Structure formats: C-alpha cells, structure tokens
Amino acid sequence: MGANFKTCLFGGFDREDVIAFIEKTSKESRERIEALEQEKEALQQQNQTISAELQQMRGDYDQHCQQAQQAQELLCKVEELSARLQALEAENGALRTQAEEYQSLKEHIAEIEISAHRRTEEFRAAAVAQLHQLIDAQRGWCEQARGQYSELSAQFAQKLYAAQQTVSSVDLSGFDQMQQQLWQLSESLDQPQD
C-alpha cells in the first residue's frame, strides 16, 4: 500500500493527506482484525462442537464397554449353563444306565424313570435352545456395536481433519505487509524535510 503525499510549500507533506492515509490504514487494520476475530470465534465454536461430539463419542464408547462387560458376564453364564448341561447329560447317561439295569423292576419304577428321562430331555432341549438364542443375540450385538464404533471413528476422523484444514489455512500475511508499511511511514516521517 503506497502513499503519495502532496508536499506543501512550508512544512513538508500535506498534513490532511497524511491524516487521511493514517485513518484509512487504521480503518483497514480494524476491519482486518474484526474479520480475524470473527474467524477465530467461528473456529472456537467449531472446536466446541467437535469437543462435544468427542465427549458424546467417549460416552458411547463407555456404554459399549459396559455392554461388552455385560456380554462377557452373559458368556460366563453360558459357560455355567454348558457345565450344568454337561453335568445333566452325565446324569442322564447314568440314569439311562440305571434304567437298563433295572428294566426288570416293577412297572411303577419304570414309569418314574421314563418320566425323569422325559423331564431331563425337555430341560436339555430348552437349555440348548436358550443357549442358541443367547449366542445369536450376542453375535448380532457384536456386529452392531462394531459397525457403530467404526462409523463413529470415521466421523470423528473426518471432523478432526476438517478442523485441522481450517486452522492450517489461516493467512496472516496481511499483518506482515501492514508492519512493513508502518515502518516505511515511520521512516518517511523521520526523514529531514527539504
């Protein structure tokens, strides 16, 4: 930004030209500072939004961790039920062996053993069906949680990249130019007048 000042017959440059130039430069500086302040506020607001989203993601992650812990507890229960099932199957085998050994006993004892065998098989079938339902539900939950976490991670990465691009593209070269012009103005004012 160059300044062409009129010279006066007495006293060097025309005072009104110098004052007008200083006011113009001051106004431009204020406008640039206001624009930078607005841009700064927009970036701060964007940063707050991203921080809120990050906090939400952390909350979601904590919730997923709790759900994973619940899934682990359910798996422990499944293992307990499997152990119980194996014990019942072993017991069932023992009952079958006893049934074969005592086939010659009275009809009433045979009916009791058949009834016990039927109850055991029903319990086993119900336990196996329940185990299959629990396993299927846990598989579905794992797939859903993995997809949600992957989507949240991708969204967070996009937001961070956009914020980084916005912050790194700020142009501050106008300040350097303004400082250079102020130095030139200062030097021109300090030069001896002819």
Side-chain angles (χ1 to χ4, degrees):
M1 187 184 316
N4 296 323
F5 299 125
K6 297 176 188 172
T7 56
C8 292
L9 186 58
F10 298 105
F13 295 111
D14 184 26
R15 186 172 185 267
E16 291 180 6
D17 285 351
V18 173
I19 290 172
F21 176 77
I22 290 172
E23 288 176 352
K24 179 182 174 187
T25 305
S26 176
K27 180 182 176 186
E28 290 174 355
S29 297
R30 280 194 306 271
E31 289 174 353
R32 286 183 184 168
I33 288 169
E34 288 174 4
L36 288 172
E37 286 292 332
Q38 290 174 356
E39 186 176 352
K40 180 183 114 181
E41 288 175 9
L43 289 172
Q44 286 175 338
Q45 189 174 18
Q46 188 178 12
N47 188 28
Q48 289 174 352
T49 302
I50 290 171
S51 296
E53 290 175 358
L54 176 61
Q55 190 67 29
Q56 178 65 36
M57 287 178 181
R58 285 183 178 155
D60 291 344
Y61 176 74
D62 291 341
Q63 185 179 4
H64 291 314
C65 288
Q66 290 176 354
Q67 290 174 348
Q69 184 177 2
Q70 291 173 355
Q72 187 63 35
E73 292 172 0
L74 286 174
L75 286 175
C76 290
K77 289 181 182 177
V78 166
E79 290 175 2
E80 290 175 13
L81 287 173
S82 295
R84 285 176 60 191
L85 178 62
Q86 288 178 355
L88 287 173
E89 286 177 344
E91 183 182 346
N92 187 28
L95 288 174
R96 282 182 185 172
T97 304
Q98 290 176 6
E100 290 172 359
E101 292 174 357
Y102 294 108
Q103 273 184 344
S104 61
L105 293 176
K106 294 180 181 181
E107 187 176 327
H108 179 66
I109 295 174
E111 288 176 5
I112 292 173
E113 290 178 353
I114 290 170
S115 176
H117 175 70
R118 187 181 329 119
R119 283 194 306 268
T120 302
E121 287 299 319
E122 288 171 356
F123 177 79
R124 180 185 179 281
V128 168
Q130 185 179 7
L131 285 173
H132 282 300
Q133 288 176 351
L134 287 172
I135 290 169
D136 290 340
Q138 286 305 308
R139 284 181 181 158
W141 178 86
C142 287
E143 287 298 321
Q144 181 183 7
R146 177 187 291 171
Q148 289 175 348
Y149 183 74
S150 176
E151 182 179 339
L152 286 173
S153 296
Q155 290 175 358
F156 181 67
Q158 289 175 351
K159 298 277 185 185
L160 284 178
Y161 178 76
Q164 183 181 15
Q165 293 299 316
T166 303
V167 170
S168 64
S169 65
V170 174
D171 182 17
L172 301 176
S173 62
F175 287 106
D176 296 333
Q177 292 175 357
M178 190 185 324
Q179 282 185 337
Q180 180 65 30
Q181 291 169 357
L182 290 172
W183 278 108
Q184 290 174 356
L185 178 61
S186 177
E187 288 175 1
S188 67
L189 291 174
D190 292 336
Q191 289 179 358
Q193 300 178 10
D194 297 336

